[in-house]
Amino acid sequence: MTGIAPQPAATATIALRPATHDDVDAIMACERQPGYDDTVGRWSREEHLAALVEPSHRYIVALDSHGTVIGFVILQEIAPAASAVLVRRIAALSQGRGHGRALLDHALALIFDELGAAKAWLRVWPHNARGMALYTKLGMREDGLSEVQRNGTPAVMTIMSIDAARYRDCKPRSETP
């Protein structure tokens, strides 16, 4: 996972860095917060450990001022010439503190500025109003529906995406080179 140096996030109280296998328990604690099973999803320890070493995946964790993991984001479908990168999962221990936004801001910058992808996309449950509001605020738009299996039952998720041009248009001018 080269190319991701720890950086200050949107708030001065957190830092971001690539995740390691030592972070898996904290990542699992984030995705197991009350209510997240219905909006975020969760993996087993073995699934996270396998994904961490997968070259097409990147894990980024958010750390508080004490170095404690307080959130994470997983990117998938990363390849040398990836046209689109999937934001697979994003979760924070506490909602409403800007940690999820900082993680997603960093993920989008990584996707477009470092990886040079043309598009970032994700799937979100339609009842996840908080997530959809954040994604919309950062410039993502609804881009279709995705049929999935949930607990053995067919379900539909909303696809949201942003392309590189819209990302650059939506970035605050102070961040634009």
Side-chain angles (χ1 to χ4, degrees):
M1 285 195 213
T2 61
I4 307 176
Q7 299 178 11
T11 64
T13 58
I14 70 170
L16 302 170
R17 67 161 169 77
T20 70
H21 70 279
D22 292 332
D23 298 318
V24 170
D25 289 337
I27 288 167
M28 290 174 60
C30 288
E31 66 188 6
R32 282 160 175 74
Q33 291 300 299
Y36 282 12
D37 57 333
D38 193 43
T39 55
V40 175
R42 57 180 63 161
W43 282 347
S44 69
R45 180 174 182 68
E46 293 73 25
E47 288 171 305
H48 281 296
L49 288 171
L52 267 168
V53 298
E54 174 63 43
S56 65
H57 294 36
R58 297 252 181 116
Y59 275 65
I60 301 160
V61 291
L63 308 169
D64 68 11
S65 60
H66 303 291
T68 302
V69 173
I70 55 172
F72 73 96
V73 62
I74 303 170
L75 305 179
Q76 291 181 323
E77 302 180 4
I78 296 172
S83 61
V85 173
L86 169 63
V87 180
R88 175 67 171 93
R89 186 168 297 151
I90 184 168
L93 277 178
S94 300
Q95 293 184 351
R97 295 187 177 174
H99 302 156
R101 181 183 177 131
L103 280 160
L104 191 54
D105 277 340
H106 183 75
L108 292 174
L110 175 66
I111 290 166
F112 294 116
D113 299 336
E114 183 180 324
L115 299 174
K119 180 178 177 179
W121 69 284
L122 54 79
R123 287 183 291 252
V124 59
W125 293 109
H127 61 269
N128 185 355
R130 185 180 203 103
M132 291 182 81
L134 171 62
Y135 309 144
T136 300
K137 191 176 203 174
L138 293 178
M140 297 184 107
R141 296 180 173 159
E142 291 186 31
D143 195 18
L145 301 173
S146 175
E147 293 182 17
V148 298
Q149 289 288 316
R150 185 172 196 171
N151 302 322
T153 304
V156 176
M157 297 182 82
T158 301
I159 297 170
M160 295 186 75
S161 67
I162 186 170
D163 64 27
R166 180 159 173 79
Y167 166 73
R168 286 181 179 76
D169 287 346
C170 291
K171 277 175 69 170
R173 293 293 175 222
S174 61
E175 296 179 21
T176 306

